[in-house]
Amino acid sequence: MDLTSYAELAVLLVNGELPDEGELRAELTSVFAHAAAGREREAVELLNDLLSRHPVSPQISGHDGQRWHLHLAEGGVVMGLAAVVTELGVDRLGVCQAARCSRVFVDTSSNRSRRYCSERCASRANVAAYRARRRSGQ
């Protein structure tokens, strides 16, 4: 079972692309914010609290011509983030560094270099930096 896909669901939830279930969006946003600020212990404590309040409910599923496999019906997004943190590290949870963007992401790059939520934000930030350099050089 690929728990990273459940962590990506947490990203979609925090970024407002999935409907919120109670206050889960706000709590997951705090996990990402603490992780991005280098406050590893606080991020893990929040995740542990969420894990206790959102237990995992696995179910066997078969769809789209696939073999039987497991899905996490409840608590999957929290479990996915916990798996990323324990397997890859808290520093893999990030908040976009582009100006006026607060979207989150899971950094699955091999060199832990991701700083933006999307190519669009990265491109905007690079163009802004280029223009600023040109202005200061003239």
Side-chain angles (χ1 to χ4, degrees), residues 7-58:
E8 291 297 338
L9 288 175
V11 168
L12 294 174
L13 178 62
V14 171
N15 290 339
E17 297 172 41
L18 292 177
D20 192 4
E21 301 171 6
E23 296 182 1
L24 188 55
R25 177 176 288 137
E27 292 175 299
L28 291 174
T29 300
S30 292
V31 171
F32 279 92
H34 285 304
R39 297 170 61 191
E40 188 172 302
R41 183 168 302 283
E42 290 93 337
V44 169
E45 287 172 358
L46 287 170
L47 268 176
N48 278 333
D49 180 54
L50 287 169
L51 283 168
S52 69
R53 290 186 291 119
H54 299 274
V56 177
S57 298

Side-chain angles (χ1 to χ4, degrees), residues 4 33 36 53 55 93 112:
T4 305
R53 290 186 291 119
L93 306 182
R112 300 174 186 251

Side-chain angles (χ1 to χ4, degrees), residues 3 22-23 62 77 84 93 99 108 112 115 117 130 136:
L3 292 176
E23 296 182 1
V77 295
V84 166
L93 306 182
T108 56
R112 300 174 186 251
R115 298 181 350 197
C117 67
Y130 171 77
S136 67

